[in-house]
Each structure stands twice: as structure tokens, then as C-alpha cells.
Amino acid sequence: MELKQLREKSADELKSHLVELRKEQFSLRMQKATGQLPKTHETRRVRREIARVKTLLGSTK
């Protein structure tokens, strides 16, 4: 998701998006562990998006 789109969201929306990203990250980790992860770059994308959301949440306090 673009940074502009993330900035438009409220704190509650960012928190729910963070929960979804954590679920996706867990799913990708499980796929990697079982050798079923076809797109290895997805883990990096999710990790960076989590960092973006956490940064925005920290600046809204």
C-alpha cells in the first residue's frame, strides 16, 4: 500500500491494518518453513509495510 494511502487512514484503521499484516507475515513464515513459498520477496514487502504502519502510529500519539 502506498504511503499516501496509509497517511489518510485513522489510527484505528492503521491498527486493524497492522493486525492483517501480522497475520499475513505469519502465513508467509509458515509457508517458508514448509517450503511452499513461491514468492520470497513478499516477506520483505510485508515486513517493510509493518514498519511503515508502526512509524505512522508512533507519530500520531
Side-chain angles (χ1 to χ4, degrees):
M1 185 175 287
E2 294 280 330
L3 188 57
K4 288 180 183 180
Q5 294 171 334
L6 288 175
R7 284 189 177 142
E8 293 171 357
K9 292 187 173 192
S10 69
D12 290 333
E13 290 174 328
L14 286 173
K15 287 178 185 175
S16 65
H17 186 60
L18 184 60
V19 169
E20 292 299 318
L21 287 171
R22 294 279 189 189
K23 288 179 184 178
E24 185 178 355
Q25 185 182 36
F26 179 77
S27 173
L28 291 171
R29 262 191 281 142
M30 291 300 110
Q31 288 178 19
K32 183 180 179 185
T34 59
Q36 298 174 349
L37 183 62
K39 298 179 184 176
T40 56
H41 66 278
E42 289 295 316
T43 55
R44 184 178 184 186
R45 179 194 60 80
V46 170
R47 193 176 71 235
R48 287 183 175 195
E49 191 164 343
I50 287 172
R52 286 187 190 106
V53 170
K54 289 176 81 173
T55 300
L56 288 173
L57 281 172
S59 66
T60 59
K61 291 182 180 178

